[in-house]
PDB file of all heavy atoms in Angstrom:
ATOM      1  N   GLU P 816      -3.921 -10.959 -14.494  1.00 98.00           N
ATOM      2  CA  GLU P 816      -2.662 -10.613 -15.164  1.00 98.00           C
ATOM      3  C   GLU P 816      -2.143  -9.247 -14.713  1.00 98.00           C
ATOM      4  O   GLU P 816      -0.949  -9.090 -14.426  1.00 98.00           O
ATOM      5  CB  GLU P 816      -2.852 -10.607 -16.689  1.00 98.00           C
ATOM      6  CG  GLU P 816      -3.074 -11.991 -17.287  1.00 98.00           C
ATOM      7  CD  GLU P 816      -4.488 -12.536 -17.031  1.00 98.00           C
ATOM      8  OE1 GLU P 816      -5.409 -11.719 -16.708  1.00 98.00           O
ATOM      9  OE2 GLU P 816      -4.677 -13.752 -17.130  1.00 98.00           O
ATOM     10  N   ILE P 817      -3.031  -8.259 -14.611  1.00 98.00           N
ATOM     11  CA  ILE P 817      -2.568  -6.924 -14.195  1.00 98.00           C
ATOM     12  C   ILE P 817      -2.284  -6.902 -12.703  1.00 98.00           C
ATOM     13  O   ILE P 817      -1.376  -6.196 -12.229  1.00 98.00           O
ATOM     14  CB  ILE P 817      -3.606  -5.839 -14.592  1.00 98.00           C
ATOM     15  CG1 ILE P 817      -2.922  -4.451 -14.621  1.00 98.00           C
ATOM     16  CG2 ILE P 817      -4.809  -5.791 -13.680  1.00 98.00           C
ATOM     17  CD1 ILE P 817      -1.901  -4.302 -15.720  1.00 98.00           C
ATOM     18  N   TYR P 818      -3.006  -7.697 -11.929  1.00 98.00           N
ATOM     19  CA  TYR P 818      -2.730  -7.870 -10.505  1.00 98.00           C
ATOM     20  C   TYR P 818      -1.296  -8.320 -10.287  1.00 98.00           C
ATOM     21  O   TYR P 818      -0.604  -7.850  -9.371  1.00 98.00           O
ATOM     22  CB  TYR P 818      -3.711  -8.893  -9.950  1.00 98.00           C
ATOM     23  CG  TYR P 818      -3.522  -9.340  -8.521  1.00 98.00           C
ATOM     24  CD1 TYR P 818      -4.270  -8.776  -7.478  1.00 98.00           C
ATOM     25  CD2 TYR P 818      -2.644 -10.384  -8.204  1.00 98.00           C
ATOM     26  CE1 TYR P 818      -4.114  -9.211  -6.172  1.00 98.00           C
ATOM     27  CE2 TYR P 818      -2.492 -10.829  -6.910  1.00 98.00           C
ATOM     28  CZ  TYR P 818      -3.222 -10.249  -5.885  1.00 98.00           C
ATOM     29  OH  TYR P 818      -3.071 -10.692  -4.587  1.00 98.00           O
ATOM     30  N   ASN P 819      -0.829  -9.196 -11.147  1.00 98.00           N
ATOM     31  CA  ASN P 819       0.515  -9.763 -10.993  1.00 98.00           C
ATOM     32  C   ASN P 819       1.621  -8.782 -11.375  1.00 98.00           C
ATOM     33  O   ASN P 819       2.796  -9.038 -11.090  1.00 98.00           O
ATOM     34  CB  ASN P 819       0.646 -11.032 -11.835  1.00 98.00           C
ATOM     35  CG  ASN P 819       1.704 -11.961 -11.312  1.00 98.00           C
ATOM     36  OD1 ASN P 819       1.804 -12.168 -10.103  1.00 98.00           O
ATOM     37  ND2 ASN P 819       2.508 -12.516 -12.200  1.00 98.00           N
ATOM     38  N   LEU P 820       1.260  -7.665 -11.997  1.00 98.00           N
ATOM     39  CA  LEU P 820       2.224  -6.624 -12.349  1.00 98.00           C
ATOM     40  C   LEU P 820       2.154  -5.412 -11.417  1.00 98.00           C
ATOM     41  O   LEU P 820       3.016  -4.536 -11.506  1.00 98.00           O
ATOM     42  CB  LEU P 820       1.977  -6.141 -13.788  1.00 98.00           C
ATOM     43  CG  LEU P 820       2.288  -7.101 -14.934  1.00 98.00           C
ATOM     44  CD1 LEU P 820       1.867  -6.487 -16.255  1.00 98.00           C
ATOM     45  CD2 LEU P 820       3.761  -7.480 -14.958  1.00 98.00           C
ATOM     46  N   THR P 821       1.145  -5.352 -10.556  1.00 98.00           N
ATOM     47  CA  THR P 821       0.842  -4.129  -9.852  1.00 98.00           C
ATOM     48  C   THR P 821       1.203  -4.188  -8.374  1.00 98.00           C
ATOM     49  O   THR P 821       0.958  -5.199  -7.690  1.00 98.00           O
ATOM     50  CB  THR P 821      -0.646  -3.785  -9.990  1.00 98.00           C
ATOM     51  OG1 THR P 821      -0.961  -3.652 -11.369  1.00 98.00           O
ATOM     52  CG2 THR P 821      -0.997  -2.483  -9.268  1.00 98.00           C
ATOM     53  N   PHE P 822       1.768  -3.075  -7.883  1.00 98.00           N
ATOM     54  CA  PHE P 822       2.036  -2.877  -6.462  1.00 98.00           C
ATOM     55  C   PHE P 822       1.123  -1.739  -5.986  1.00 98.00           C
ATOM     56  O   PHE P 822       1.250  -0.600  -6.446  1.00 98.00           O
ATOM     57  CB  PHE P 822       3.503  -2.506  -6.238  1.00 98.00           C
ATOM     58  CG  PHE P 822       4.447  -3.600  -6.659  1.00 98.00           C
ATOM     59  CD1 PHE P 822       4.804  -3.748  -7.993  1.00 98.00           C
ATOM     60  CD2 PHE P 822       4.961  -4.488  -5.726  1.00 98.00           C
ATOM     61  CE1 PHE P 822       5.650  -4.768  -8.394  1.00 98.00           C
ATOM     62  CE2 PHE P 822       5.811  -5.505  -6.109  1.00 98.00           C
ATOM     63  CZ  PHE P 822       6.161  -5.654  -7.451  1.00 98.00           C
ATOM     64  N   THR P 823       0.200  -2.066  -5.110  1.00 98.00           N
ATOM     65  CA  THR P 823      -0.746  -1.079  -4.612  1.00 98.00           C
ATOM     66  C   THR P 823      -0.214  -0.492  -3.316  1.00 98.00           C
ATOM     67  O   THR P 823       0.087  -1.224  -2.364  1.00 98.00           O
ATOM     68  CB  THR P 823      -2.126  -1.736  -4.365  1.00 98.00           C
ATOM     69  OG1 THR P 823      -2.602  -2.296  -5.601  1.00 98.00           O
ATOM     70  CG2 THR P 823      -3.133  -0.701  -3.851  1.00 98.00           C
ATOM     71  N   VAL P 824      -0.078   0.818  -3.294  1.00 98.00           N
ATOM     72  CA  VAL P 824       0.449   1.526  -2.113  1.00 98.00           C
ATOM     73  C   VAL P 824      -0.646   2.408  -1.535  1.00 98.00           C
ATOM     74  O   VAL P 824      -1.365   3.084  -2.258  1.00 98.00           O
ATOM     75  CB  VAL P 824       1.682   2.371  -2.480  1.00 98.00           C
ATOM     76  CG1 VAL P 824       2.063   3.323  -1.347  1.00 98.00           C
ATOM     77  CG2 VAL P 824       2.860   1.457  -2.817  1.00 98.00           C
ATOM     78  N   ASN P 825      -0.766   2.372  -0.209  1.00 98.00           N
ATOM     79  CA  ASN P 825      -1.750   3.219   0.459  1.00 98.00           C
ATOM     80  C   ASN P 825      -1.238   3.504   1.870  1.00 98.00           C
ATOM     81  O   ASN P 825      -0.112   3.127   2.224  1.00 98.00           O
ATOM     82  CB  ASN P 825      -3.116   2.528   0.497  1.00 98.00           C
ATOM     83  CG  ASN P 825      -4.263   3.493   0.507  1.00 98.00           C
ATOM     84  OD1 ASN P 825      -4.216   4.542   1.139  1.00 98.00           O
ATOM     85  ND2 ASN P 825      -5.337   3.154  -0.210  1.00 98.00           N
ATOM     86  N   GLY P 826      -2.044   4.182   2.669  1.00 98.00           N
ATOM     87  CA  GLY P 826      -1.604   4.538   4.029  1.00 98.00           C
ATOM     88  C   GLY P 826      -2.715   5.224   4.789  1.00 98.00           C
ATOM     89  O   GLY P 826      -3.864   5.255   4.358  1.00 98.00           O
ATOM     90  N   PHE P 827      -2.330   5.825   5.894  1.00 98.00           N
ATOM     91  CA  PHE P 827      -3.297   6.390   6.843  1.00 98.00           C
ATOM     92  C   PHE P 827      -3.189   7.902   6.986  1.00 98.00           C
ATOM     93  O   PHE P 827      -4.047   8.522   7.585  1.00 98.00           O
ATOM     94  CB  PHE P 827      -3.080   5.719   8.204  1.00 98.00           C
ATOM     95  CG  PHE P 827      -3.210   4.228   8.147  1.00 98.00           C
ATOM     96  CD1 PHE P 827      -2.128   3.426   7.824  1.00 98.00           C
ATOM     97  CD2 PHE P 827      -4.429   3.618   8.390  1.00 98.00           C
ATOM     98  CE1 PHE P 827      -2.242   2.035   7.748  1.00 98.00           C
ATOM     99  CE2 PHE P 827      -4.566   2.235   8.318  1.00 98.00           C
ATOM    100  CZ  PHE P 827      -3.477   1.449   7.996  1.00 98.00           C
ATOM    101  N   SER P 828      -2.155   8.499   6.422  1.00 98.00           N
ATOM    102  CA  SER P 828      -1.850   9.899   6.704  1.00 98.00           C
ATOM    103  C   SER P 828      -2.924  10.878   6.214  1.00 98.00           C
ATOM    104  O   SER P 828      -3.341  11.773   6.961  1.00 98.00           O
ATOM    105  CB  SER P 828      -0.491  10.285   6.103  1.00 98.00           C
ATOM    106  OG  SER P 828      -0.495  10.072   4.709  1.00 98.00           O
ATOM    107  N   LYS P 829      -3.373  10.719   4.978  1.00 97.00           N
ATOM    108  CA  LYS P 829      -4.314  11.675   4.415  1.00 97.00           C
ATOM    109  C   LYS P 829      -5.748  11.399   4.849  1.00 97.00           C
ATOM    110  O   LYS P 829      -6.490  12.314   5.224  1.00 97.00           O
ATOM    111  CB  LYS P 829      -4.229  11.663   2.882  1.00 97.00           C
ATOM    112  CG  LYS P 829      -2.822  11.688   2.320  1.00 97.00           C
ATOM    113  CD  LYS P 829      -2.014  12.902   2.744  1.00 97.00           C
ATOM    114  CE  LYS P 829      -0.625  12.877   2.082  1.00 97.00           C
ATOM    115  NZ  LYS P 829       0.207  14.009   2.457  1.00 97.00           N
ATOM    116  N   THR P 830      -6.155  10.128   4.811  1.00 98.00           N
ATOM    117  CA  THR P 830      -7.539   9.784   5.108  1.00 98.00           C
ATOM    118  C   THR P 830      -7.893  10.007   6.574  1.00 98.00           C
ATOM    119  O   THR P 830      -8.995  10.477   6.891  1.00 98.00           O
ATOM    120  CB  THR P 830      -7.793   8.318   4.745  1.00 98.00           C
ATOM    121  OG1 THR P 830      -7.546   8.127   3.348  1.00 98.00           O
ATOM    122  CG2 THR P 830      -9.243   7.920   5.046  1.00 98.00           C
ATOM    123  N   TYR P 831      -6.961   9.713   7.463  1.00 98.00           N
ATOM    124  CA  TYR P 831      -7.251   9.770   8.895  1.00 98.00           C
ATOM    125  C   TYR P 831      -6.463  10.849   9.629  1.00 98.00           C
ATOM    126  O   TYR P 831      -6.399  10.829  10.849  1.00 98.00           O
ATOM    127  CB  TYR P 831      -6.986   8.403   9.531  1.00 98.00           C
ATOM    128  CG  TYR P 831      -7.838   7.311   8.967  1.00 98.00           C
ATOM    129  CD1 TYR P 831      -7.362   6.453   7.966  1.00 98.00           C
ATOM    130  CD2 TYR P 831      -9.164   7.123   9.386  1.00 98.00           C
ATOM    131  CE1 TYR P 831      -8.150   5.444   7.429  1.00 98.00           C
ATOM    132  CE2 TYR P 831      -9.964   6.124   8.850  1.00 98.00           C
ATOM    133  CZ  TYR P 831      -9.461   5.300   7.865  1.00 98.00           C
ATOM    134  OH  TYR P 831     -10.254   4.318   7.338  1.00 98.00           O
ATOM    135  N   ALA P 832      -5.879  11.788   8.878  1.00 98.00           N
ATOM    136  CA  ALA P 832      -5.105  12.884   9.480  1.00 98.00           C
ATOM    137  C   ALA P 832      -4.036  12.317  10.421  1.00 98.00           C
ATOM    138  O   ALA P 832      -3.914  12.726  11.576  1.00 98.00           O
ATOM    139  CB  ALA P 832      -6.013  13.850  10.216  1.00 98.00           C
ATOM    140  N   MET P 833      -3.260  11.367   9.895  1.00 98.00           N
ATOM    141  CA  MET P 833      -2.237  10.689  10.695  1.00 98.00           C
ATOM    142  C   MET P 833      -0.841  10.884  10.097  1.00 98.00           C
ATOM    143  O   MET P 833      -0.005   9.980  10.109  1.00 98.00           O
ATOM    144  CB  MET P 833      -2.560   9.190  10.800  1.00 98.00           C
ATOM    145  CG  MET P 833      -3.822   8.865  11.568  1.00 98.00           C
ATOM    146  SD  MET P 833      -4.315   7.121  11.501  1.00 98.00           S
ATOM    147  CE  MET P 833      -2.938   6.348  12.368  1.00 98.00           C
ATOM    148  N   THR P 834      -0.565  12.089   9.603  1.00 97.00           N
ATOM    149  CA  THR P 834       0.706  12.300   8.903  1.00 97.00           C
ATOM    150  C   THR P 834       1.918  12.012   9.778  1.00 97.00           C
ATOM    151  O   THR P 834       2.870  11.365   9.338  1.00 97.00           O
ATOM    152  CB  THR P 834       0.778  13.748   8.378  1.00 97.00           C
ATOM    153  OG1 THR P 834       0.454  14.647   9.444  1.00 97.00           O
ATOM    154  CG2 THR P 834      -0.201  13.951   7.230  1.00 97.00           C
ATOM    155  N   GLY P 835       1.923  12.484  11.011  1.00 97.00           N
ATOM    156  CA  GLY P 835       3.058  12.288  11.888  1.00 97.00           C
ATOM    157  C   GLY P 835       3.206  10.879  12.420  1.00 97.00           C
ATOM    158  O   GLY P 835       4.245  10.522  12.988  1.00 97.00           O
ATOM    159  N   TRP P 836       2.209  10.048  12.226  1.00 98.00           N
ATOM    160  CA  TRP P 836       2.282   8.663  12.705  1.00 98.00           C
ATOM    161  C   TRP P 836       3.205   7.814  11.841  1.00 98.00           C
ATOM    162  O   TRP P 836       3.674   6.768  12.269  1.00 98.00           O
ATOM    163  CB  TRP P 836       0.880   8.044  12.686  1.00 98.00           C
ATOM    164  CG  TRP P 836      -0.094   8.683  13.618  1.00 98.00           C
ATOM    165  CD1 TRP P 836      -0.533   9.986  13.584  1.00 98.00           C
ATOM    166  CD2 TRP P 836      -0.769   8.075  14.726  1.00 98.00           C
ATOM    167  NE1 TRP P 836      -1.439  10.206  14.590  1.00 98.00           N
ATOM    168  CE2 TRP P 836      -1.614   9.048  15.299  1.00 98.00           C
ATOM    169  CE3 TRP P 836      -0.760   6.787  15.255  1.00 98.00           C
ATOM    170  CZ2 TRP P 836      -2.416   8.774  16.400  1.00 98.00           C
ATOM    171  CZ3 TRP P 836      -1.563   6.507  16.340  1.00 98.00           C
ATOM    172  CH2 TRP P 836      -2.377   7.490  16.904  1.00 98.00           C
ATOM    173  N   ARG P 837       3.420   8.208  10.600  1.00 97.00           N
ATOM    174  CA  ARG P 837       4.283   7.541   9.639  1.00 97.00           C
ATOM    175  C   ARG P 837       3.907   6.091   9.440  1.00 97.00           C
ATOM    176  O   ARG P 837       4.609   5.159   9.860  1.00 97.00           O
ATOM    177  CB  ARG P 837       5.767   7.659  10.019  1.00 97.00           C
ATOM    178  CG  ARG P 837       6.293   9.065  10.273  1.00 97.00           C
ATOM    179  CD  ARG P 837       5.836  10.083   9.214  1.00 97.00           C
ATOM    180  NE  ARG P 837       6.195   9.684   7.849  1.00 97.00           N
ATOM    181  CZ  ARG P 837       5.354   9.739   6.810  1.00 97.00           C
ATOM    182  NH1 ARG P 837       4.113  10.171   6.951  1.00 97.00           N
ATOM    183  NH2 ARG P 837       5.757   9.370   5.634  1.00 97.00           N
ATOM    184  N   LEU P 838       2.755   5.885   8.813  1.00 98.00           N
ATOM    185  CA  LEU P 838       2.282   4.524   8.548  1.00 98.00           C
ATOM    186  C   LEU P 838       1.699   4.420   7.137  1.00 98.00           C
ATOM    187  O   LEU P 838       0.803   5.180   6.776  1.00 98.00           O
ATOM    188  CB  LEU P 838       1.184   4.124   9.548  1.00 98.00           C
ATOM    189  CG  LEU P 838       1.658   3.693  10.945  1.00 98.00           C
ATOM    190  CD1 LEU P 838       0.465   3.563  11.860  1.00 98.00           C
ATOM    191  CD2 LEU P 838       2.389   2.364  10.848  1.00 98.00           C
ATOM    192  N   GLY P 839       2.245   3.516   6.374  1.00 98.00           N
ATOM    193  CA  GLY P 839       1.713   3.190   5.069  1.00 98.00           C
ATOM    194  C   GLY P 839       1.864   1.702   4.828  1.00 98.00           C
ATOM    195  O   GLY P 839       2.277   0.962   5.725  1.00 98.00           O
ATOM    196  N   TYR P 840       1.532   1.271   3.628  1.00 98.00           N
ATOM    197  CA  TYR P 840       1.712  -0.145   3.330  1.00 98.00           C
ATOM    198  C   TYR P 840       1.713  -0.381   1.831  1.00 98.00           C
ATOM    199  O   TYR P 840       1.215   0.421   1.039  1.00 98.00           O
ATOM    200  CB  TYR P 840       0.619  -1.003   3.990  1.00 98.00           C
ATOM    201  CG  TYR P 840      -0.804  -0.675   3.583  1.00 98.00           C
ATOM    202  CD1 TYR P 840      -1.386  -1.235   2.444  1.00 98.00           C
ATOM    203  CD2 TYR P 840      -1.586   0.178   4.353  1.00 98.00           C
ATOM    204  CE1 TYR P 840      -2.682  -0.940   2.082  1.00 98.00           C
ATOM    205  CE2 TYR P 840      -2.899   0.464   3.999  1.00 98.00           C
ATOM    206  CZ  TYR P 840      -3.436  -0.091   2.868  1.00 98.00           C
ATOM    207  OH  TYR P 840      -4.740   0.208   2.511  1.00 98.00           O
ATOM    208  N   SER P 841       2.304  -1.517   1.476  1.00 98.00           N
ATOM    209  CA  SER P 841       2.220  -1.991   0.091  1.00 98.00           C
ATOM    210  C   SER P 841       1.556  -3.340   0.068  1.00 98.00           C
ATOM    211  O   SER P 841       1.696  -4.143   1.011  1.00 98.00           O
ATOM    212  CB  SER P 841       3.630  -2.091  -0.526  1.00 98.00           C
ATOM    213  OG  SER P 841       4.438  -2.996   0.215  1.00 98.00           O
ATOM    214  N   ALA P 842       0.805  -3.583  -0.995  1.00 98.00           N
ATOM    215  CA  ALA P 842       0.196  -4.878  -1.268  1.00 98.00           C
ATOM    216  C   ALA P 842       0.797  -5.347  -2.583  1.00 98.00           C
ATOM    217  O   ALA P 842       0.606  -4.711  -3.619  1.00 98.00           O
ATOM    218  CB  ALA P 842      -1.330  -4.775  -1.349  1.00 98.00           C
ATOM    219  N   SER P 843       1.527  -6.447  -2.544  1.00 98.00           N
ATOM    220  CA  SER P 843       2.359  -6.848  -3.670  1.00 98.00           C
ATOM    221  C   SER P 843       1.931  -8.188  -4.244  1.00 98.00           C
ATOM    222  O   SER P 843       1.351  -9.022  -3.541  1.00 98.00           O
ATOM    223  CB  SER P 843       3.820  -6.947  -3.229  1.00 98.00           C
ATOM    224  OG  SER P 843       4.256  -5.734  -2.666  1.00 98.00           O
ATOM    225  N   PRO P 844       2.244  -8.434  -5.515  1.00 98.00           N
ATOM    226  CA  PRO P 844       2.019  -9.764  -6.074  1.00 98.00           C
ATOM    227  C   PRO P 844       2.896 -10.795  -5.359  1.00 98.00           C
ATOM    228  O   PRO P 844       3.957 -10.433  -4.807  1.00 98.00           O
ATOM    229  CB  PRO P 844       2.395  -9.613  -7.559  1.00 98.00           C
ATOM    230  CG  PRO P 844       3.255  -8.393  -7.618  1.00 98.00           C
ATOM    231  CD  PRO P 844       2.818  -7.498  -6.509  1.00 98.00           C
ATOM    232  N   PRO P 845       2.495 -12.042  -5.349  1.00 97.00           N
ATOM    233  CA  PRO P 845       3.224 -13.060  -4.554  1.00 97.00           C
ATOM    234  C   PRO P 845       4.699 -13.169  -4.899  1.00 97.00           C
ATOM    235  O   PRO P 845       5.521 -13.443  -4.008  1.00 97.00           O
ATOM    236  CB  PRO P 845       2.484 -14.360  -4.912  1.00 97.00           C
ATOM    237  CG  PRO P 845       1.103 -13.922  -5.278  1.00 97.00           C
ATOM    238  CD  PRO P 845       1.266 -12.598  -5.967  1.00 97.00           C
ATOM    239  N   TRP P 846       5.062 -12.941  -6.151  1.00 97.00           N
ATOM    240  CA  TRP P 846       6.451 -13.146  -6.540  1.00 97.00           C
ATOM    241  C   TRP P 846       7.428 -12.116  -5.951  1.00 97.00           C
ATOM    242  O   TRP P 846       8.637 -12.334  -5.931  1.00 97.00           O
ATOM    243  CB  TRP P 846       6.598 -13.139  -8.079  1.00 97.00           C
ATOM    244  CG  TRP P 846       6.149 -11.863  -8.766  1.00 97.00           C
ATOM    245  CD1 TRP P 846       4.893 -11.615  -9.240  1.00 97.00           C
ATOM    246  CD2 TRP P 846       6.937 -10.689  -9.015  1.00 97.00           C
ATOM    247  NE1 TRP P 846       4.852 -10.349  -9.787  1.00 97.00           N
ATOM    248  CE2 TRP P 846       6.080  -9.761  -9.661  1.00 97.00           C
ATOM    249  CE3 TRP P 846       8.251 -10.353  -8.761  1.00 97.00           C
ATOM    250  CZ2 TRP P 846       6.537  -8.494 -10.058  1.00 97.00           C
ATOM    251  CZ3 TRP P 846       8.706  -9.084  -9.146  1.00 97.00           C
ATOM    252  CH2 TRP P 846       7.846  -8.182  -9.802  1.00 97.00           C
ATOM    253  N   ALA P 847       6.880 -10.991  -5.430  1.00 97.00           N
ATOM    254  CA  ALA P 847       7.768  -9.930  -4.928  1.00 97.00           C
ATOM    255  C   ALA P 847       7.567  -9.606  -3.456  1.00 97.00           C
ATOM    256  O   ALA P 847       8.411  -8.931  -2.853  1.00 97.00           O
ATOM    257  CB  ALA P 847       7.573  -8.659  -5.745  1.00 97.00           C
ATOM    258  N   ALA P 848       6.482 -10.073  -2.867  1.00 97.00           N
ATOM    259  CA  ALA P 848       6.134  -9.640  -1.511  1.00 97.00           C
ATOM    260  C   ALA P 848       7.211 -10.008  -0.493  1.00 97.00           C
ATOM    261  O   ALA P 848       7.603  -9.185   0.375  1.00 97.00           O
ATOM    262  CB  ALA P 848       4.794 -10.255  -1.103  1.00 97.00           C
TER     263      ALA P 848
END
């Protein structure tokens, strides 16, 4: 139920020191992806 309400956002800039690469992503519930 909470999965279906949640949009998980993450990326590569902080973890891999890739700030200038400009790469992130969203993982969305099926109804909005």
